[in-house]
Structures are given as structure tokens and as C-alpha cells.
Amino acid sequence: MKAKFLVPLFIFLLLAGFLGYGLKLNPREVPSPLIGKAAPAFRVPQLQAEDKTISPEDLKGRVWLLNVWSSWCISCRYEHPVLVEFARNSPVPIVGLNYKEVRGDGAVDAKGLDPATELATARQRARQWLTEHGGDPYMVSALDLDGRIGIDYGVYGVPETFLIDQQGVIRYKHIGPITRESLRDVLLPKIAELQRAS
Amino acid sequence: MRRLALVAALLLPVAGQAGEAATVSDDPVLEERVMRLSHDLRCLVCQNQSIAESNAPLAVDLRNQVREQFLAGKDEAAVVDYLVARYGDFVLYLPPFKGTTLLLWLGPGLLLVAGAGWLAWRLRRRVREAPPPLNAEEHARAAALLDGTAKPSQESRS
């Protein structure tokens, strides 16, 4: 009979357990359905080499990182020094996906801009930003002017980073800026694991 | 001349608006379909808004995607599949019924059944533990109490 008084306490602890767990979840981190799937294809102009294009196809056989960035993205400024440092002796190439460089900037009226002007403006802005923020950590950057590649990759906030394996399969997605800690604790072990597998 | 300037000034904001609405097609039936579906799709940036309500750039892009795919001849289910393949079930305000959402869908029903079962059990127990019905003598005393003709000395304590 005495145990009956413990019932509300038990219910409370159960609720507290659920709520406590819920507090630790980050609603901003939406799990990507693309993990384990082939990286969506694209072929777009490169940022630096004006006469060249880049596609995930070009990186088949290598483990690589696809880092979504933009000059108007504030969090990218925190991430950038980490990437520059990482790129100096990175075991894998970092490919940039410059996301909506011109259209994504709320301060710019991109409506009615003709494609050639938009491409040139994007190149100029992105290069300038890289110069001003410590250099270019990317082996190559793809220009996703209209954000369509971003949609194909399920990008909903910049920066985001995808880890892609030798077969071109997305193995991991990092949401938000990469920090030294996340690099050391999560990304590097995963990279090492993928490279061992080859 | 002044009147002409006034007309021009009044038309200016209209011209501005026309520019804003450039990405929206002028087919009202299509727009209605786009908005109806957009209301069921969650914006990933402002997560408590649908992509119909949100003005986040991504929501605008996704609305354009929905419109474009309708124009390409896809139906509602195909467009939803397209978005789910990229953003996961998270974009749906109506989550699908499957293994991981079993508790979500059945939980409330289970709680209701459990609650009703508990209530029935309690009520049955209450009936079992109820005092036996009154005999004739007790009935008479109760009637006397109600009439106010009972002897006060006996009943004042209870």
C-alpha cells in the first residue's frame, strides 16, 4: 500500500527524464536523409579558374569534404580560420560550395541581374572575402549562384559540411561552423576511418 | 502637368510591387496549388512556420521549386517526395506512419486506452468496496433524519 505514494514520484521522474533528454537535443540539427546516399551530381563553374568547371565526379576515388560557404554568412567568418589552418596539412581536399553569393545577400538587389554579371559579381565578392579573411582553404570552389545545388544537398543554413567517400557517397553532415573540437573529435576520426577502408 | 506628376507618383509604388512579384506566376490555379501544398511543408529556417508563411530566403526558394515542379507536370506526391529526399520527414507537418513514428502516432491512443482502463478498474473497485445497502430500520432512520423528526440526542454527533 505504501508503494502507492511513490507513483506520482515515479511519473515525475519519467517526465523529467524525457524533458531532460529533450533539452539536450538541438532542434536546429535536422538529420539529413542524404547520409549513405550518393552525393547529388552537379557541374558548375569554378570560383578561381574561370574557364574550368567542377563536379563531384572529378573527385571519385578520394575522400573529400564539401564545405558550403558564402561571403554574407556570418558564422563562416568563425569557421574560416579553422578551415585555413586545417587545409595546411589536411589529409583530404576541401571543396567549397559557394552558396548564393549574390542572391543570398539581403543587402544586394539581385533581381534582373543578367547571368554573366551575376557570375562576375559572385567571383569578385567571393575572392575578395577569401583574401580579407585569411586565404583560400579550398582546393576548388563551386559556384552555386541560384542555390539549386544547395537544395539538392538539403542545405538549409550556411555553413554546412559534407564528408564524401571514395565512391561518392555522403557519409556525414556537419551542421553549423566547424570548430577545432568538432574537427578533432568527429571529422578527423571519420576521415581516418574512411581512408583506412580503401 | 501637376496632375500628370501626381499620377506618376501614385503609380510608382505599384511599379515597385510588380517588380517584387516577378517570381510568382500569373496562373491563379497554379498559385493556389502551390500555396495549398506549401502550407503543409515546414520551413527549415524558421521551424515553426510553413514555407507558405515564411519569408526566409530558403522558403522562397522552396516555394519556387514547388511551382517549377508543378509546371513540369509533377503532382503533389511527387513534389513532396522530392523535398523529403533532400530534407527528410522533417519538412512534413504531417509525418508518415512508419517504424520511427509509431509512438508518435499510437502514443495518444495508448494513453487514452490506459487511462480509460485505469478509470474502469477504479470504478469497479469502488462498487465492490461500497457499503451494503440499507436495511428497513436504517431506511426509517434516514427518512426520519430527512424529515427532521429524528431524536437530536442520537444524531447530533454525526
Side-chain angles (χ1 to χ4, degrees), chain A residues 3-24:
Chain A
K4 216 175 159 182
F5 293 103
L6 292 176
V7 169
L9 183 67
F10 176 72
I11 292 175
F12 168 75
L13 287 177
L14 197 73
L15 262 180
F18 273 121
L19 293 174
Y21 179 69
L23 268 182
K24 289 201 171 169

Side-chain angles (χ1 to χ4, degrees), chain B residues 43-108:
Chain B
C43 172
L44 287 104
V45 182
C46 358
Q47 301 184 344
N48 287 327
Q49 281 185 311
S50 70
I51 64 168
E53 293 155 348
S54 176
N55 272 322
L58 182 67
V60 177
D61 284 357
L62 290 182
R63 282 204 299 268
N64 287 338
Q65 281 293 317
V66 171
R67 183 175 301 113
E68 223 170 83
Q69 307 231 347
F70 276 157
L71 279 172
K74 289 199 186 179
D75 64 355
E76 270 77 358
V79 176
V80 166
D81 284 347
Y82 168 88
L83 288 170
V84 168
R86 283 156 182 75
Y87 294 99
D89 290 339
F90 197 88
V91 290
L92 304 175
Y93 268 124
L94 191 66
F97 186 81
K98 59 183 196 187
T100 46
T101 56
L102 220 59
L103 197 64
L104 180 70
W105 277 102
L106 301 181

Side-chain angles (χ1 to χ4, degrees), chain A residues 38 115-116 159 186:
Chain A
V186 184

